[in-house]
């Protein structure tokens, strides 16, 4: 199927990359759905006070598209505030984390492409 609705998908709740608290997420598309080097497209919800923990990538690039909420994205040693509409890039061999320091849910689309 080519049309999938992430707002209607079943969410899984778990700790992500040893982050703080838990996040809710679902795979909209997985690697086997593609004929290219795209590894996945995920929808993620990060509750207030929770995070996707700091982790490093290998030969892949990852992009976060912030849909709702606010937080702090750390890429390598740089931190930046994120808000709806922000698109953040994590290049091969970089490390990153995303922390929701607000009182509202942070929602994002995340996709990864293998180099």
């Amino acid at each position: 199927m080519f049309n999938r609705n992430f707002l209607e998908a079943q969410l899984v709740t778990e700790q992500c990359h040893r982050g703080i608290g838990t996040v809710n997420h679902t795979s909209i598309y997985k690697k086997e759905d593609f004929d290219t080097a795209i590894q996945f497209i995920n929808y993620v919800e990060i509750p207030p006070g929770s995070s996707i923990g700091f982790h490093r990538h290998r030969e892949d690039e990852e992009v976060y598209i912030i849909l709702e909420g606010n937080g702090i994205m750390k890429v390598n040693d740089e931190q930046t505030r994120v808000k709806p509409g922000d698109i953040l890039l994590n290049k091969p061999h970089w490390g990153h984390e995303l922390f929701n320091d607000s009182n509202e849910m942070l929602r994002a689309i995340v996709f990864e492409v293998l180099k």
Side-chain angles (χ1 to χ4, degrees):
M1 179 190 287
F2 295 105
N3 182 19
R4 298 184 183 166
N5 188 314
F6 65 88
L7 297 176
E8 296 173 353
Q10 181 74 32
L11 298 177
V12 174
T13 301
E14 61 187 1
Q15 188 179 44
C16 187
H17 295 289
R18 296 179 307 279
I20 300 166
T22 58
V23 301
N24 310 312
H25 66 93
T26 188
S27 292
I28 303 165
Y29 287 100
K30 297 178 182 180
K31 159 173 144 170
E32 54 269 13
D33 295 316
F34 299 101
D35 293 331
T36 62
I38 298 173
Q39 299 297 290
F40 63 77
I41 299 176
N42 289 350
Y43 170 68
V44 179
E45 295 179 344
I46 305 173
S50 294
S51 72
I52 294 173
F54 188 84
H55 62 285
R56 291 203 175 276
H57 286 252
R58 292 186 178 139
E59 295 295 323
D60 57 309
E61 289 184 305
E62 197 169 59
V63 175
Y64 282 68
I65 301 169
I66 307 300
L67 304 173
E68 295 179 29
N70 298 281
I72 299 172
M73 173 70 91
K74 179 179 179 181
V75 177
N76 296 324
D77 294 325
E78 274 189 59
Q79 288 189 9
T80 188
R81 299 246 4 118
V82 298
K83 63 186 181 311
D86 286 346
I87 301 174
L88 302 121
L89 175 62
N90 187 61
K91 291 188 171 263
H93 306 287
W94 286 8
H96 69 106
E97 68 183 336
L98 180 57
F99 176 67
N100 182 351
D101 67 342
S102 76
N103 293 323
E104 298 179 12
M105 189 71 77
L106 192 159
R107 293 179 170 88
I109 297 290
V110 182
F111 67 91
E112 184 175 274
V113 178
L114 190 60
K115 182 176 174 184

